[in-house]
């Protein structure tokens, strides 16, 4: 019996050794992933990064070859239905989404421009999370086009007309920002953002972009930083309004009744997935933002 008991546990050291080796390998893989995907200076307050990112994105947006659809003028020669342009950026692997968005703009006669961009952005750290650049792109595009812009992620498509909300005959002329919100507090989604073109909006975007350059925000969620901006740092007091809850239908809810009420559909046919990581974002001291903007 004792011999049997010993044989029963004879393999325990080997199992323990395998577990320890596995843990070491997992740790090495994790460290390697961090080295490849996170900025090696993640915890340094690099206030010069804002100026560097601004210059790189301005160059990219300013030199991009635009693909544009402009609706025909009204037959009665009256005012155009829209005075803004829908803008989306896409990397090479999202070319099919850009074509789908443009096709939907033509169908619903919505002015639209898509801009090809590289991934990663040249002259910047190669492993930033892509959403780090969103406020930089918004600002650069507004400056290039000089008109209000309705920014949408390239995996959106129009399934209805936005004229009732953003048409020149219906939109509040004072409106400066409109974005989707998912709760009674601040839980914005920056997949669709309407922005006016004026100095107040450009200043707001500059501070949002500067906040994105602070430590772990460089791999964080841009919409969570926008929440902080709107809740506690809307110094310009932008005239803002939430997009209606049924304005766009997300990929996880393609019920016919939901889509029938929607103007935008988000990534039709996409498999549901978990929410992006929202634990990295921190609110930087305003002294950092001021230094970044002055750099």
């Amino acid at each position: 019996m004792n011999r049997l008991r010993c044989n029963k546990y004879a393999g325990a050291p080997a199992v323990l050794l395998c577990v320890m080796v596995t843990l070491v390998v997992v740790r090495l893989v994790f460290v390697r992933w961090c080295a490849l995907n996170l900025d090696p200076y993640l915890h340094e307050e690099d206030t010069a990064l804002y100026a560097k990112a601004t210059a790189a994105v301005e160059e990219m947006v300013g030199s991009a070859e635009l693909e544009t659809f402009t609706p025909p003028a009204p037959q009665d020669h009256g005012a155009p239905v829209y005075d803004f342009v829908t803008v989306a950026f896409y990397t090479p692997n999202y070319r099919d989404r850009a074509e789908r968005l443009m096709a939907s703009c033509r169908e619903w006669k919505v002015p639209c421009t898509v801009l090809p961009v590289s991934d990663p952005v040249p002259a910047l750290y190669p492993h930033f999370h892509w959403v780090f650049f969103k406020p930089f792109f918004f600002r650069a595009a507004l400056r290039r086009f000089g008109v209000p812009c309705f920014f949408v992620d390239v995996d959106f498509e129009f399934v209805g007309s936005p004229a009732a909300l953003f048409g020149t005959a219906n939109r509040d002329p004072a409106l400066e920002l409109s974005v989707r919100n998912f709760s009674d507090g601040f839980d914005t989604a920056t997949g669709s953002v309407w922005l006016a073109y004026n100095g107040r909006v450009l200043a707001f975007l500059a501070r949002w972009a500067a906040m994105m350059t602070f430590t772990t925000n460089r791999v964080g969620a841009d919409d969570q930083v926008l929440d902080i901006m709107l809740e506690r740092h809307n110094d310009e007091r932008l005239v803002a309004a939430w997009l209606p809850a049924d304005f766009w239908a997300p990929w996880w809810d393609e019920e016919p009744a939901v889509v029938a009420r929607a103007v935008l559909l988000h990534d039709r046919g996409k498999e549901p997935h978990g929410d992006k990581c929202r634990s990295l974002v921190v609110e930087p001291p305003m002294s950092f933002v001021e230094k970044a903007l002055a750099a």
Side-chain angles (χ1 to χ4, degrees):
M1 181 65 69
N2 289 337
R3 181 178 298 175
L4 289 174
R5 186 179 293 116
C6 290
N7 289 340
K8 180 179 179 181
Y9 294 102
V15 172
L16 181 60
L17 179 62
C18 288
V19 171
M20 293 178 64
V21 170
T22 301
L23 290 175
V24 170
V25 171
V26 169
R27 184 178 183 276
L28 291 174
V29 170
F30 177 75
V31 170
R32 178 61 176 167
W33 180 89
C34 289
L36 291 175
N37 290 276
L38 302 182
D39 176 11
Y41 306 105
L42 195 61
H43 299 288
E44 293 187 5
E45 295 187 4
D46 184 2
T47 54
L49 180 57
Y50 167 77
K52 188 176 182 180
T54 296
V57 174
E58 290 272 1
E59 168 63 23
M60 178 179 292
V61 172
S63 61
E65 294 184 6
L66 307 180
E67 299 175 56
T68 301
F69 168 70
T70 303
Q75 294 183 353
D76 60 0
H77 304 290
V81 177
Y82 303 107
D83 62 353
F84 69 91
V85 59
T86 302
V87 180
F89 307 94
Y90 70 94
T91 52
N93 56 319
Y94 273 76
R95 173 66 192 176
D96 60 327
R97 304 293 203 283
E99 293 173 350
R100 185 178 68 185
L101 173 60
M102 287 293 288
S104 72
C105 288
R106 292 188 179 93
E107 179 180 356
W108 291 97
K109 297 181 173 55
V110 180
C112 185
T113 293
V114 294
L115 291 81
V117 294
S118 62
D119 184 12
V121 176
L124 293 176
Y125 300 106
H127 300 296
F128 278 124
H129 195 297
W130 187 250
V131 295
F132 164 86
F133 299 106
K134 190 170 281 188
F136 291 93
F137 276 121
F138 288 177
R139 192 168 186 268
L142 282 171
R143 287 163 60 90
R144 174 165 184 178
F145 300 130
V147 297
C149 292
F150 184 36
F151 295 96
V152 299
D153 287 352
V154 75
D155 53 5
F156 278 86
E157 61 184 302
F158 283 94
V159 292
S161 170
L165 190 64
F166 293 130
T168 53
N170 301 309
R171 189 184 75 243
D172 179 357
L175 183 67
E176 294 176 300
L177 181 150
S178 190
V179 64
R180 177 77 181 271
N181 192 49
F182 281 99
S183 72
D184 293 335
F186 289 87
D187 185 15
T188 58
T190 56
S192 57
V193 183
W194 193 93
L195 289 167
Y197 174 64
N198 60 42
R200 287 154 45 88
V201 171
L202 293 177
F204 180 90
L205 291 173
R207 286 190 299 107
W208 179 13
M211 281 193 175
M212 291 299 300
T213 67
F214 183 72
T215 61
T216 53
N217 292 0
R218 302 174 201 170
V219 290
D222 61 298
D223 50 5
Q224 195 173 5
V225 177
L226 179 60
D227 295 344
I228 295 172
M229 288 284 297
L230 291 173
E231 186 175 14
R232 295 192 288 277
H233 298 291
N234 186 6
D235 297 353
E236 291 78 18
R237 296 293 186 270
L238 296 185
V239 179
W242 300 133
L243 287 172
D246 58 358
F247 188 79
W248 57 263
W251 69 84
W252 62 82
D253 191 352
E254 294 185 16
E255 292 294 329
V258 175
V259 175
R261 296 192 303 269
V263 173
L264 288 171
L265 182 62
H266 187 198
D267 217 354
R268 171 169 43 90
K270 184 175 184 177
E271 291 295 326
H273 60 77
D275 193 14
K276 58 189 169 186
C277 176
R278 303 180 66 82
S279 62
L280 295 170
V281 168
V282 295
E283 181 175 357
M286 294 312 295
S287 59
F288 169 86
V289 177
E290 293 168 0
K291 289 178 182 178
L293 294 175

